[in-house]
């Protein structure tokens, strides 16, 4: 098991998917809440806890949840709590997008914040490594096109968000970026209990 973790870490490092571990602080959270209350921002969220390493088991299929890594009971509970917290803070989303992977769709469904649309460009860049640049460019374009007064929520994968922002998020963590720019610079971060 220890050797497998080392191999996974080495692969992620070689793919450029490991960022410096950072924890969202009080200032980050205050800035994120302020931005979401103002509107016009994009909340990029890593799916809730889905144990089993990185990527998916060999032979997985996007159209069959039984073949993928899925949310744990903790992940399911965390997703519900995050949704409740966002609603309790008065945060609404004009649009909600999800990676087509089941753990992302389930996260946002359990958050119960509105209608969900799946968006292929937020598909897992670890599994789709040969499409990483195209998927990341598509995600950047969607963020750049977000000029609405309301907020956009995107639930995706840690590696996708790291490729966009340079920040590696914990499961269920959110990084807020300004809409209307393809730079995806973090405004603030939320790690909700």
């Amino acid at each position: 098991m220890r050797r497998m973790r080392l191999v996974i870490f080495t692969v992620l490092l070689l793919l450029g998917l490991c960022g410096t571990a950072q924890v969202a602080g009080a200032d980050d959270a205050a800035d994120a809440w302020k931005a979401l209350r103002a509107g016009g921002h994009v909340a990029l969220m890593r799916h809730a806890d889905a144990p089993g390493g990185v990527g998916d088991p060999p032979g997985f299929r996007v159209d069959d949840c039984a073949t993928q890594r899925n949310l744990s009971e903790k992940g399911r509970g965390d997703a519900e709590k995050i949704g409740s917290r966002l609603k309790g803070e008065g945060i609404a989303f004009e649009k909600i997008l999800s990676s087509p992977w089941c753990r992302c769709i389930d996260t946002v469904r359990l958050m119960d914040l509105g209608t969900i649309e799946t968006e292929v460009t937020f598909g897992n860049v670890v599994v789709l490594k040969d499409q990483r640049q195209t998927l990341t460019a598509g995600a950047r374009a969607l963020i750049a096109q977000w000029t609405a007064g309301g907020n956009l929520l995107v639930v995706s994968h840690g590696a996708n968000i790291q490729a966009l922002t340079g920040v590696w998020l914990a499961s269920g963590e959110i990084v807020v970026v300004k809409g209307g720019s393809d730079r995806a610079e973090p405004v603030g971060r939320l790690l909700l209990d």
Side-chain angles (χ1 to χ4, degrees):
M1 184 64 148
R2 194 171 179 193
R3 181 174 168 83
M4 180 178 272
R5 285 187 189 143
L6 181 60
V7 168
I8 289 170
F9 177 78
T10 303
V11 168
L12 287 173
L13 192 58
L14 290 172
L15 290 173
L17 299 178
C18 285
T20 304
Q22 302 169 347
V23 177
D27 288 344
D28 278 339
D31 291 343
W33 289 122
K34 182 178 177 183
L36 291 173
R37 288 186 181 106
H41 287 81
V42 179
L44 299 168
M45 179 179 174
R46 182 178 179 190
H47 60 77
D49 184 60
V54 185
D56 285 283
F60 90 98
R61 292 192 334 263
V62 172
D63 63 344
D64 184 356
C65 295
T67 66
Q68 300 176 33
R69 283 179 39 231
N70 291 294
L71 297 181
S72 65
E73 284 305 312
K74 177 187 180 334
R76 298 179 74 72
D78 288 349
E80 290 174 351
K81 288 177 194 171
I82 292 165
S84 293
R85 176 75 188 278
L86 289 165
K87 286 187 261 187
E89 294 286 340
I91 306 300
F93 294 96
E94 191 170 317
K95 188 170 188 174
I96 301 171
L97 299 176
S98 174
S99 160
W101 266 250
C102 297
R103 56 188 170 271
C104 296
I105 294 169
D106 289 345
T107 295
V108 75
R109 192 174 288 144
L110 289 163
M111 290 170 66
D112 191 29
L113 297 172
T115 304
I116 307 159
E117 296 176 37
T118 58
E119 177 52 59
V120 175
T121 200
F122 293 106
N124 192 328
V125 298
V126 170
V127 175
L128 304 172
K129 60 184 171 272
D130 58 329
Q131 298 175 45
R132 178 183 165 97
Q133 289 182 342
T134 303
L135 294 173
T136 302
R140 283 188 189 288
L142 278 173
I143 292 168
Q145 292 167 7
W146 188 256
T147 57
N151 295 309
L152 168 65
L153 172 64
V154 175
V155 177
S156 190
H157 308 269
N160 294 60
I161 296 167
Q162 191 275 335
L164 289 166
T165 65
V167 177
W168 187 260
L169 299 179
S171 295
E173 189 174 4
I174 298 168
V175 62
V176 178
V177 301
K178 180 76 176 139
S181 169
D182 66 353
R183 292 179 29 205
E185 284 188 42
V187 172
R189 292 169 61 180
L190 297 170
L191 184 56
L192 306 174
D193 299 316

